[in-house]
Amino acid sequence: MNKKPEGHITPYTHPAAGWGALKQVAINLVREKVAGGNYRTLLKQNQPDGFDCPGCAWPDREHASTFEFCENGVKAVAAEATSKRVRPEFFAAHTVTSLLAQSDYALEQHGRLTDPMVYDAASDKYVPIAWDDAFTLMARHLQALPDPNQATFYTSGRTGNEAAFLFQLFVRLYGTNNFPDCSNMCHEPTSRGLPGTVGIGKGTVMLEDFDQADTLLIFGQNPATNHPRMMNELRDCARRGATIVSINPLRERGLERFTSPAHALEMLTGSTTNISNMFVQPKLAGDFALIKAIAKRLVERDDEALATGHPGVLDREFIARHTSGYEAFEQDLRAESWAVLLEESGVPRLQIDQLTGIFIRGNNIISTWGMGLTQHKNALKTIQMLSNLMMMRGQIGRPGAGLCPVRGHSNVQGDRTMGIEEKPTKAFLDRMQRVFNFDPPREHGLDTVDSIQAMLDGRVKLFFAMGGNFAMATPDTPLTFKALQNCALTVHVATKLNRSHLIMGKQALILPTLGRTEIDLQNGVPQGVTVEDSMSMVHLSYGMNKPASDNLLSETMIVARLAHATLGSDKIDWLRLGGDYAEIRELIEKVFDDFHDFNARVAHPGGFHLRVASREREWRTPSGRAQFVPHAIDLDTPIHRARAKHGERLMTLMTARSHDQYNTTIYGLDDRYRGVYGLRRVVFINKDDLTLLGLKNGEHVDLISVWEDDVTRRAERFQLVEYDIPRGCLGAYFPETNGLVPLHSTADGAGTPTSKSIPVLLERSAA
């Protein structure tokens, strides 16, 4: 047999997961050199007496099964449990300049950080620094700033509730609401859009609702890669006859066929489950027009039914009893042009009719979505239009039905609940004022994009990151690099080395922290941290592995010691709180009514559910009712203007994860479900577009972003891969293509970078 080249494209013909997933589990445990004794960690993942997965935010079935981990969860755990170490000797042997030449994958593969390090510009190396000296350095910078708003404090979604709450308390006592976080780059249109329709920016379903749903609409998601444990729920739904529709420009393998590693018989017999009954492939940024088209067709079908003496298809009782604004919304639908809807969605009228029929026949409908809906200019409108559509048939606030945004990182929703929010509500600030007896800053702070611009302008001098890989996760990569380098001090709390640590301000610190899987001892007592998943369940999580180094601090203690060094402990005993997380939870329940009896309730196996008012048909809107919100289709967007200038040669690019990555963390170089092996600089393209552009499958091209400024944004030498993707649309991996996303190309009303709809041109690469 001929050996395949290291980098190759080979169509994947197997179901998602199955033995291929178990093989990758073994490969990753070996690759990360995980000690045999740490393999038992997997059996404690997502268990009541174990730790919550540091990967995705999908909830756990009863939080007590014997097999509650997936391939990508294992990759995340293996990355923490690795025996590889990045000690001071490593930094002594490598300049920052030499490390910058390494790939993102290579940087992660060096292993766990062990000691706090400070950048030494004279040698271009990181050198060790004592923890006390690191906190003194940070405090000196913070105290020297003439305005607290000259500092910005980033939070990644891996941060637990206790650290996040303490972090926001410290920063607000310091005097600013500058809280850029990963929500700004992913589900912000959900968080900003749903309050305008149903009154709260969270989903309305729980995991048990999937047991009763007969119809699932899956928008802009690739569950088999991004939240694989969701696949078992979809498998069970499909096996009992639920209708599942995948709505996504890419026809992803996990939504075609799936073999569950959690079911022994299925593995032994090689059987598979067909997941989706229908695939709909809108063009990029076309979901808004598609959802509006279904809503318009629903009104037409209601008219047709009533005209023939049949019951209408709308839930008129729900609309009358629970909603406001329907008449204006319906009027807008009737006035909308079918020609515009079809052109903007890219979906044929026949498919829209079929999808509307499925929606009408469904008794219990769940609509789920990921970043395929949220990273567009019209994302907030899209989320509200989907909410409108579900309200038309009363599919919100009852068992087996509802809205289900699927968050990415494990505690991104919990961090927002804890107050990591640059636009805090008056009610929250008032409660903080009463509980802690200080006047918190009232002016809205900076989100992620605004923070980058403020650093570029010199308005922000200090950047502090609680986890994440800010430099690579954000848009307009060269500008973001310049922004960070413009700071007086950059600080990164991290478990492993990444590129952000190499893009420094005048001074820079790397602060190594405990991972979710590691034992967190404070004053000799093991501490647990809590997280909130996508469905508002709050769990308690205890690590079980020995820490990677004796010189690591927990995120919570890092915040406590920084607050103590900066503000002193006259008002709040920071070090006491950092040594006992139960005391932090007692403070949390004083600020948030839904967290009453926090310590007692979270000690129960599986934790507890945070009440979501809209799930119970309590609408926290100004009218006290769920609100229909009409939206026009914008025909004068940057994509429209670019297409008017460049014609059919203008393509729209979406960025996406490969299967061997989680956010910006690259676990490997394969994307096996899409048939890509050993490669990352690839671009997926429709075969007809290859012909149109005079290009061939396998050729290399440069991608040039088209934007209305004088900045040249270019990503060079990407291999063309013929793929099932709509005409005029392209797909490529991030972070390699993040530099093509203009900094201020963001979702209206939400500020999320438009990473799923970037106008680009292709040029054949130089030989």
Side-chain angles (χ1 to χ4, degrees):
M1 180 183 296
N2 292 330
K3 184 178 181 180
K4 292 176 180 175
E6 184 174 340
H8 60 95
I9 307 297
T10 303
Y12 185 83
T13 59
H14 308 290
W19 290 107
L22 291 187
K23 176 182 176 182
Q24 290 302 314
V25 165
I27 288 174
N28 275 275
L29 292 172
V30 172
R31 177 188 291 154
E32 291 286 0
K33 299 181 180 179
V34 177
N38 282 347
Y39 286 8
R40 72 186 190 281
T41 304
L42 300 178
L43 298 180
K44 293 293 185 180
Q45 191 169 338
N46 301 315
Q47 301 299 315
D49 59 344
F51 64 93
D52 208 80
C53 179
C56 79
W58 187 255
D60 310 320
R61 175 62 68 172
E62 297 178 356
H63 213 77
S65 96
T66 57
F67 192 86
E68 269 293 349
F69 59 87
C70 63
E71 176 186 343
N72 276 7
V74 170
K75 292 173 184 174
V77 170
E80 279 195 7
T82 179
S83 62
K84 295 183 285 186
R85 298 290 182 266
V86 179
R87 296 185 171 90
E89 294 80 11
F90 171 89
F91 289 107
H94 296 85
T95 64
V96 166
T97 301
S98 68
L99 289 172
L100 276 169
Q102 298 187 16
S103 69
D104 295 282
Y105 171 66
L107 291 173
E108 293 271 356
Q109 286 300 304
H110 290 303
R112 289 290 301 279
L113 297 161
T114 62
D115 295 87
M117 308 295 292
V118 63
Y119 180 63
D120 174 55
S123 64
D124 189 32
K125 293 179 179 180
Y126 274 99
V127 297
I129 184 172
W131 277 108
D132 284 346
D133 293 337
F135 290 119
T136 298
L137 174 63
M138 290 183 283
R140 186 170 66 245
H141 274 270
L142 288 169
Q143 292 163 354
L145 292 177
D147 180 355
N149 291 312
Q150 290 183 356
T152 196
F153 299 86
Y154 176 77
T155 316
S156 85
R158 60 149 282 159
T159 304
N161 287 330
E162 292 74 15
F165 181 82
L166 210 62
F167 195 40
Q168 65 83 28
L169 174 59
F170 156 59
V171 172
R172 290 195 164 99
L173 275 163
Y174 174 68
T176 184
N177 285 314
N178 287 348
F179 281 112
D181 75 324
C182 54
S183 288
N184 298 152
M185 293 183 284
C186 56
H187 262 286
E188 200 69 272
T190 299
S191 301
R192 305 298 182 206
L194 288 183
T197 56
V198 298
I200 188 170
K202 296 184 180 183
T204 67
V205 304
M206 295 178 65
L207 205 53
E208 52 261 38
D209 289 311
F210 281 77
D211 296 334
Q212 302 178 54
D214 57 46
T215 305
L216 290 92
L217 306 181
I218 304 174
F219 289 91
Q221 281 183 268
N222 181 16
T225 288
N226 297 332
H227 23 265
R229 287 183 296 125
M230 182 181 179
M231 291 305 304
N232 282 316
E233 299 301 327
L234 297 180
R235 168 195 178 274
D236 293 346
C237 289
R239 286 190 162 231
R240 60 177 173 76
T243 299
I244 300 176
V245 183
S246 170
I247 304 165
N248 195 23
L250 298 180
R251 183 169 169 142
E252 302 286 13
R253 173 47 50 95
L255 291 171
E256 293 179 323
R257 293 185 291 133
F258 173 68
T259 296
S260 174
H263 292 82
L265 183 61
E266 201 162 305
M267 294 289 287
L268 291 173
T269 61
S271 61
T272 67
T273 300
N274 294 326
I275 300 297
S276 296
N277 303 85
M278 181 180 184
F279 289 87
V280 181
Q281 293 176 271
K283 66 183 184 182
L284 291 169
D287 297 275
F288 172 72
L290 172 61
I291 296 167
K292 190 170 187 179
I294 300 168
K296 179 178 176 67
R297 188 71 188 111
L298 207 58
V299 169
E300 294 175 349
R301 290 284 298 269
D302 190 67
D303 290 343
E304 294 163 6
L306 294 174
T308 56
H310 292 87
V313 300
L314 302 181
D315 190 335
R316 296 285 181 181
E317 181 182 357
F318 175 86
I319 292 171
R321 184 175 178 183
H322 289 283
T323 74
S324 177
Y326 177 73
E327 293 76 11
F329 172 67
E330 182 181 295
Q331 184 178 2
D332 178 73
L333 291 178
R334 292 185 184 279
E336 189 61 80
S337 161
W338 268 112
V340 170
L341 291 171
L342 296 176
E343 172 63 27
E344 292 300 307
S345 69
V347 178
R349 176 65 182 267
L350 178 60
Q351 268 203 325
I352 291 172
D353 287 347
Q354 292 171 337
L355 187 49
T356 305
I358 289 172
F359 192 69
I360 290 171
R361 290 190 295 274
N363 292 312
N364 296 323
I365 305 171
I366 293 176
S367 286
T368 82
W369 67 92
M371 287 187 288
L373 285 197
T374 62
Q375 292 183 322
H376 300 279
K377 185 178 188 295
N378 62 3
L380 187 149
K381 295 196 303 184
T382 303
I383 302 306
Q384 293 192 335
M385 189 58 64
L386 180 56
S387 184
N388 291 334
L389 178 66
M390 293 287 280
M391 289 190 296
M392 292 174 78
R393 296 209 59 241
Q395 294 291 335
I396 299 176
R398 59 186 183 80
L403 301 167
C404 182
V406 181
R407 309 280 177 165
H409 222 151
S410 61
N411 198 40
V412 61
Q413 184 161 301
D415 288 346
R416 180 58 57 88
T417 299
M418 290 295 103
I420 302 297
E421 161 69 279
E422 77 278 5
K423 296 181 176 66
T425 65
K426 181 179 182 300
F428 168 71
L429 294 178
D430 288 346
R431 180 64 72 92
M432 290 287 291
Q433 184 175 28
R434 288 198 300 273
V435 172
F436 295 104
N437 191 30
F438 80 109
D439 188 16
R442 300 280 170 165
E443 180 184 358
H444 284 175
L446 302 175
D447 66 9
T448 296
V449 167
D450 290 338
S451 290
I452 295 170
Q453 187 63 58
M455 287 187 279
L456 282 168
D457 296 341
R459 291 180 287 119
V460 162
K461 304 289 188 182
L462 188 149
F463 174 82
F464 185 103
M466 184 64 73
N469 186 358
F470 187 86
M472 299 310 294
T474 47
D476 227 334
T477 309
L479 276 182
T480 297
F481 282 17
K482 289 180 182 178
L484 291 168
Q485 291 164 339
N486 207 28
C487 290
L489 176 67
T490 51
V491 182
H492 294 275
V493 178
T495 57
K496 299 183 82 174
L497 186 65
N498 65 49
R499 194 164 304 279
S500 291
H501 309 152
L502 311 176
I503 310 297
M504 303 88 55
K506 307 299 184 295
Q507 289 186 286
L509 289 165
I510 302 174
L511 306 180
T513 189
L514 292 171
R516 184 80 57 80
T517 62
E518 291 172 319
I519 299 168
D520 182 355
L521 281 179
Q522 303 295 339
N523 301 317
V525 179
Q527 303 293 317
V529 299
T530 59
V531 298
E532 179 187 347
D533 63 33
S534 279
M535 296 181 188
S536 303
M537 290 295 298
V538 179
H539 321 128
L540 186 61
S541 175
Y542 284 93
M544 59 173 295
N545 289 341
K546 180 182 177 181
S549 163
D550 292 335
N551 206 16
L552 302 182
L553 293 181
S554 71
E555 288 183 323
T556 309
M557 183 53 80
I558 288 172
V559 174
R561 290 185 63 175
L562 176 58
H564 174 75
T566 306
L567 303 177
S569 291
D570 293 341
K571 197 175 199 58
I572 293 174
D573 191 342
W574 299 104
L575 299 183
R576 177 176 172 177
L577 292 174
D580 187 350
Y581 303 173
E583 289 198 26
I584 301 175
R585 290 191 282 272
E586 290 174 1
L587 294 178
I588 290 171
E589 70 177 55
K590 291 180 180 179
V591 175
F592 302 106
D593 293 338
D594 289 344
F595 283 84
H596 63 86
D597 303 317
F598 193 176
N599 281 308
R601 292 163 71 206
V602 82
H604 184 273
F608 62 93
H609 182 254
L610 287 175
R611 181 174 180 269
V612 178
S614 50
R615 176 178 173 80
E616 301 173 21
R617 294 190 170 178
E618 176 189 325
W619 316 106
R620 295 181 178 175
T621 61
S623 68
R625 290 168 168 258
Q627 186 69 43
F628 280 95
V629 184
H631 287 295
I633 293 178
D634 187 356
L635 298 178
D636 186 27
T637 68
I639 292 176
H640 287 91
R641 294 192 292 272
R643 184 161 289 118
K645 181 177 180 179
H646 296 282
E648 288 187 316
R649 300 184 68 82
L650 193 282
M651 301 282 127
T652 305
L653 172 71
M654 64 175 283
T655 69
R657 295 174 182 167
S658 78
H659 190 67
D660 265 356
Q661 103 182 64
Y662 191 78
N663 293 341
T664 56
T665 301
I666 311 299
Y667 296 125
L669 301 179
D670 295 345
D671 189 8
R672 69 177 187 275
Y673 294 159
R674 297 186 184 117
V676 179
Y677 298 88
L679 299 170
R680 286 194 57 83
R681 298 184 77 82
V682 298
V683 56
F684 302 107
I685 185 170
N686 184 288
K687 64 178 181 180
D688 292 333
D689 287 327
L690 286 172
T691 302
L692 169 72
L693 299 174
L695 298 168
K696 294 181 180 179
N697 187 40
E699 276 194 279
H700 287 83
V701 296
D702 298 347
L703 293 85
I704 302 94
S705 180
V706 178
W707 192 245
E708 297 157 332
D709 59 16
D710 296 325
V711 178
T712 299
R713 299 175 178 87
R714 189 181 192 98
E716 296 182 339
R717 201 156 181 81
F718 282 70
Q719 181 177 329
L720 291 167
V721 177
E722 183 182 307
Y723 207 76
D724 183 4
I725 189 171
R727 287 286 312 273
C729 299
L730 305 172
Y733 304 132
F734 71 83
E736 288 84 352
T737 50
N738 282 359
L740 297 171
V741 186
L743 182 62
H744 294 291
S745 179
T746 58
D748 295 339
T752 305
T754 60
S755 301
K756 296 290 189 288
S757 50
I758 313 161
V760 298
L761 297 171
L762 300 184
E763 288 183 3
R764 186 176 281 109
S765 296

